[in-house]
Amino acid sequence: MVETLTGTKRSRGLSYQELLESDSKVVPASLKKESLLDHAPISVGVDRYFAREFHDLEVEKLWSRVWQLACHEDDIPRVGDALSYDIASRSYIIVRTGADEFSAYPNACRHRGRRLIEGCKKGLGVLRCPFHGWSWHLDGKLREVPCHWDFPGVSEASHSLPKVSTGRWGGFVFINPDPDAEPLEAFLGDIDEHWTTLPFERRYKAVHVAKKLPCNWKIAQEAFMESYHVVATHPTLLMEMGDANSQYDSFGTLSRAISPQGIASPHVGAELAGEPHSDTTPFTAFRHPITGDYYERLEEDRIRLTRKDGRSGIFNSRAEPLEGELPNADLHICNWFGGRLTPDMQAAKHLYGALPVADARARRAAARREQLRPLMGDEIDNVCDAELVDSIYYSIFPNISPWGCFNPIFYRFRPDGDNPEQCIHEVMFMLPVPAGQDRPPPAQIHWLDIDEDYLEAPELGSLAKVFNQDQLNLRAVQQGLRSVPEGRITLAEYQETKIRHFHASLDEWLGF
C-alpha cells in the first residue's frame, strides 16, 4: 500500500536538502534556501471554479489590475509588429514601437468597439480599424477619421488609444491594465536570484503549444503545482522520482516545488524498488511498484494486465475490459501504455534502472552536461547535478509556471474567453541560445482543440503522454466539484503549498 502516517511531518527517506549534500558540484544558494508558507487557506469553496459571479470578479479585480505575461519580445521582433493578447473577456494589443520599446492598448476601436487586430500582424505602419477605417499611429495617437466632419467631438486629445502599462522580464513582455499599478520589478521582487545559472534572456522559444481544456483555468494550473498526484496519476514515474520527498517554498509573488529525480518514491516497497527493467521500455511494460500488477502493451489500444495471483485481462486505453477474467484496470496506466507512440517513444530507454541514488543522479547529470555542451561550452562543467536532473518548477502569480535551471518547460494558463469552465494550457520550451549566437526565431503557436490529444503536437515529445494522463483528471474534477459535500475542497498543509499560496494571493487580490 502507499505510505500513509509516518509519525513525522514528512515522508520517510532523504529530504531534498539532505540529497543536495551528495551533489558532485557546488549547489547555488537559491536551491539551499527554504521558505515555509506561514499562512494560507487549507480549504476553498468550490464555486470559485465554476460560478459566473466569481469569474466576473476575477475579470474586474484580477485581470484588470495584475501584471500578466502577454508575449515574448521575439514574437514581435520588428517595429510595427503587433499581436493581440486575450484574457477572459478582455483583449489588448501589444506592438513594438521602437528597436527596444513596446506599447500596449485596449484592442478596441474607439468608434464602434471592433477589435483592431486578430492574432499576430507584421510590419504595421498604423493601427487601422477594418470596419470604418479609423486609424491610430503606433504610439496610440489618433491619426485619421474618415468623414471627420461628422464627429465634431472627436480629437487626438479625446480619442487616442489609452496606453496600458508594460514591463519586461527575461525576454517576456508583461502588461497591466491598472494605471496605478506598481512597477513590474516591484511586483516580481527578488525573482532573478532563482535564475542565476541560465537566465531567460539567454533562451529562446523553441516550442509553443496551446491546448484548450474543459475546466477552469485554476483547476488546470493546480494540476501542475504539486507532485502529490504522481502516485495515482503518473505511477510509471514512481521508480525514478521522489514525489513525496519534494520540497515546497513560497517567496512573495513566487512559489516553488522541487521534486528529486533518480530516487525512488517513498511509496515504493523495498521488495520492488530494485527490480531490473531488463528488455522493457518506458512505454511497453511496467510492474507497478506498489501493487505488483504487471501491464504489457500488446498493440495500440490493447494492454494486458496480470495480477500477482496470476489472473489476467486485456483492456483498452480507457481501461475498459476487452477479454479475460479481470473487470478493472488502472485508467492512467492504460492510457500511458495503450495510447499512440511516436518513433522516439518506441526507442526510449529507462533512465535509471536499479542504480544507487547517487550513481543514478550523477549518470543522468553527466549525460545532460554532454547534451548541453555544444550550447554552453565548458560553462556547463560548473553546473550542479540538481540543476540538470531535478524538477524545479515555479509559479509566478497569477498564471505562469516557469521551470528552473535547465528544464525548458514554461507554462501559461488562461480562461478561454468568457467561459469559466474552459481554459487554455500553453506549453513553451525555452531552450538555451547557442553560445555566441543570436536568439533563433520563436516557434509559432500550435493550437490543439478541446478534444484533440496532446500527441497531436509531436514537438512535446514524451511529455505529451504525461499531459494526457493529467487531462484524464481535469474534466472529471470540473464535473465533480458541484457534488463536493459542504461545498469546500481540502488542501494538504505542505505538499499543496503552492496551491494554498495561490489561493491566499487570489483572495487578497479579490478583497476576501
Side-chain angles (χ1 to χ4, degrees), residues 3 41 74 128 166 169 183 197 203 343 384 415 430 445 448 454 460 467 497:
E3 178 195 53
D74 291 350
R128 182 179 183 275
T166 60
W169 173 75
T197 302
R203 309 189 197 194
C384 72
M430 303 299 299
I445 299 181
L448 298 177
Y454 278 101
L460 292 175
F467 294 155
T497 286

Side-chain angles (χ1 to χ4, degrees), residues 201-500:
E201 289 86 351
R202 295 178 56 187
R203 309 189 197 194
Y204 73 101
K205 188 171 63 171
V207 168
H208 192 170
V209 175
K211 171 83 168 72
K212 294 188 176 185
L213 294 172
C215 64
N216 184 272
W217 68 279
K218 298 183 289 296
I219 290 174
Q221 179 168 270
E222 291 164 15
F224 296 90
M225 281 183 159
E226 41 81 5
S227 289
Y228 181 50
H229 70 289
V230 167
V231 64
T233 301
H234 308 298
T236 56
L237 302 180
L238 291 173
M239 295 294 288
E240 302 167 348
M241 180 179 182
D243 55 337
N245 292 126
S246 299
Q247 177 177 311
Y248 296 90
D249 304 288
S250 63
F251 311 95
T253 303
L254 197 70
S255 64
R256 178 180 71 181
I258 310 176
S259 296
Q261 304 290 324
I263 178 172
S265 166
H267 295 302
V268 172
E271 69 278 7
L272 292 171
E275 181 172 314
H277 294 292
S278 63
D279 59 348
T280 69
T281 78
F283 303 99
T284 58
F286 171 68
R287 183 176 298 283
H288 198 295
I290 298 174
T291 67
D293 292 344
Y294 194 71
Y295 288 80
E296 301 171 87
R297 177 186 174 92
L298 303 179
E299 59 187 38
E300 187 171 328
D301 209 30
R302 195 171 175 85
I303 310 101
R304 177 189 290 121
L305 163 61
T306 304
R307 302 280 192 201
K308 286 197 299 184
D309 61 9
R311 293 180 301 143
S312 67
I314 295 176
F315 299 82
N316 62 21
S317 58
R318 297 173 298 284
E320 297 168 339
L322 302 177
E323 300 175 22
E325 54 191 323
L326 296 177
N328 299 297
D330 187 292
L331 173 61
H332 292 91
I333 299 178
C334 287
N335 177 274
W336 180 271
F337 289 102
R340 192 172 75 250
L341 300 182
T342 66
D344 288 345
M345 293 174 189
Q346 293 172 357
K349 296 180 180 180
H350 293 284
L351 291 174
Y352 305 112
L355 289 176
V357 170
D359 292 343
R361 290 172 59 80
R363 186 179 76 172
R364 187 179 183 190
R368 185 72 171 134
R369 285 191 188 93
E370 294 314 306
Q371 184 182 32
L372 290 167
R373 192 174 299 280
L375 299 176
M376 304 291 296
D378 292 341
E379 176 186 2
I380 197 64
D381 290 326
N382 298 320
V383 178
C384 72
D385 298 344
E387 291 180 282
L388 295 166
V389 170
D390 294 329
S391 297
I392 306 169
Y393 47 109
Y394 292 83
S395 292
I396 302 173
F397 186 83
N399 67 327
I400 60 172
S401 301
W403 286 47
C405 304
F406 286 90
N407 195 308
I409 298 173
F410 196 117
Y411 298 138
R412 178 171 64 174
F413 301 88
R414 292 183 284 163
D416 186 11
D418 212 25
N419 184 352
E421 300 193 67
Q422 195 162 300
C423 73
I424 300 168
H425 172 209
E426 292 176 78
V427 184
M428 293 170 268
F429 288 173
M430 303 299 299
L431 295 182
V433 176
Q437 297 183 25
D438 294 332
R439 283 202 297 248
Q444 299 300 302
I445 299 181
H446 181 174
W447 281 94
L448 298 177
D449 211 341
I450 198 163
D451 292 322
E452 287 188 281
D453 194 298
Y454 278 101
L455 281 164
E456 296 298 324
E459 61 268 39
L460 292 175
S462 60
L463 266 181
K465 299 283 282 185
V466 177
F467 294 155
N468 279 342
Q469 289 180 311
D470 290 311
Q471 186 177 212
L472 292 173
N473 298 325
L474 301 181
R475 187 191 299 270
V477 170
Q478 187 69 50
Q479 294 171 337
L481 282 169
R482 286 181 169 83
S483 302
V484 171
E486 301 179 3
R488 298 189 70 82
I489 58 171
T490 302
L491 300 173
E493 289 190 1
Y494 184 68
Q495 292 184 86
E496 292 176 328
T497 286
K498 292 183 66 182
I499 301 176
R500 294 177 62 220

